[in-house]
Amino acid sequence: FPEMLSNPRLTALQGTLNVVMNQNVTLSCQPNTGSPPVTYILFKHNQKVSTLNRPDLTPALFNLTINSASDLGEYKCKAENNITSGGKYSNSLIFTLLEPISKPVLSSPISEVKKGQRVTLSCLSENGSLPITYIFFKGKQNISPPVKMQKREAAVIFLFINSSSDFGTYKCRAENSFYNNTKYSNSFNFTLAEERSHSQPLLISLGLILLLLVIGLGLAIPFFIIPSYKASE
């Protein structure tokens, strides 16, 4: 007996919706039940992309190439037969574009620090698909757990510069889901700020006082010498 179609299921044969630019993908559209023949229509953003006819209930396979960001839109398929008015629509699929990350930049608001000072380090990759995971290193030793950022924001850690060993070379590493894509940042070094001696301000003050006394004495001498000279005449 003629049977109405069930809602078809749209799947990606590559098993994942994560794709890279210029990748070829195949979408499969198939209902579980219904009387053939079946006409399948693939839509992207509600616009018809392709139509396939099948004499039986074998899946319709739509081959696509991801060439631009517009190809990442919402996909649906519709199945129609002679007795299903208006056809039946599938679930939606949306691809996610995987982009390689750029070299991260490691920075800090300050580079000259004093012992015992609290500092921050920031690591950011300007490009690359999210999420991005960052790890901080001093030398070859990691100094932080992985920090996964879901937004295009820098990963930040806080450090205390307590000893001379804390003035080593720092780096960070960034990676995302793009295959075999890991990037290391530039190197960053803190330097020890020169601490002024407490005696320096005192010496400067004493020097200024002494200079003022000399100038004052130089100005006062004529007032004492000239009157005494006139009195002796």
Side-chain angles (χ1 to χ4, degrees):
F1 295 96
E3 186 179 9
M4 292 182 62
L5 292 167
S6 61
N7 288 89
R9 178 169 176 77
L10 185 64
T11 58
L13 291 189
Q14 63 271 16
T16 177
L17 295 177
N18 294 327
V19 296
V20 297
M21 197 63 74
N22 300 318
Q23 180 177 337
N24 295 321
V25 296
T26 300
L27 297 182
S28 171
C29 183
Q30 183 184 28
N32 290 325
T33 59
S35 297
V38 183
T39 298
Y40 297 93
I41 304 172
L42 182 68
F43 294 88
K44 181 185 70 177
H45 294 307
N46 297 321
Q47 293 184 346
K48 187 183 295 186
V49 175
S50 182
T51 301
L52 294 173
N53 295 308
R54 290 287 181 267
D56 50 31
L57 287 183
T58 56
L61 301 180
F62 297 96
N63 297 311
L64 307 170
T65 301
I66 306 301
N67 290 317
S68 66
S70 63
D71 296 325
L72 305 174
E74 180 186 36
Y75 288 86
K76 282 186 177 183
C77 71
K78 183 172 76 168
E80 299 176 339
N81 66 1
N82 294 330
I83 63 169
T84 306
S85 177
K88 295 285 186 175
Y89 285 89
S90 73
N91 54 294
S92 299
L93 292 182
I94 299 177
F95 290 107
T96 299
L97 182 64
L98 294 182
E99 295 179 284
I101 53 177
S102 58
K103 180 179 178 179
V105 175
L106 183 65
S107 61
S108 176
I110 57 174
S111 59
E112 290 190 357
V113 297
K114 300 177 182 179
K115 287 186 178 180
Q117 185 172 347
R118 186 174 186 249
V119 297
T120 61
L121 279 175
S122 301
C123 185
L124 176 64
S125 288
E126 291 286 352
N127 300 303
S129 50
L130 300 170
I132 298 177
T133 300
Y134 298 93
I135 299 178
F136 293 82
F137 296 85
K138 184 170 72 68
K140 294 183 179 180
Q141 182 178 3
N142 64 303
I143 57 173
S144 76
V147 181
K148 180 177 284 190
M149 302 300 295
Q150 301 289 346
K151 297 180 179 180
R152 188 75 59 192
E153 297 175 351
V156 179
I157 62 169
F158 299 92
L159 304 170
F160 280 98
I161 305 299
N162 292 318
S163 64
S164 57
S165 63
D166 295 325
F167 290 93
T169 299
Y170 291 87
K171 282 190 175 184
C172 67
R173 186 181 76 195
E175 58 188 11
N176 63 2
S177 300
F178 194 90
Y179 176 72
N180 198 26
N181 182 232
T182 299
K183 296 286 179 66
Y184 284 86
S185 72
N186 55 294
S187 299
F188 188 90
N189 293 79
F190 292 104
T191 56
L192 181 63
E194 295 183 3
E195 297 185 8
R196 292 185 176 181
S197 172
H198 294 295
S199 61
Q200 285 182 339
L202 180 60
L203 291 175
I204 293 173
S205 299
L206 291 176
L208 289 174
I209 293 172
L210 182 60
L211 179 61
L212 291 174
L213 287 175
V214 171
I215 294 173
L217 185 60
L219 294 174
I221 286 175
F223 291 98
F224 289 100
I225 295 178
I226 293 174
S228 61
Y229 178 75
K230 288 183 177 180
S232 62
E233 290 179 350

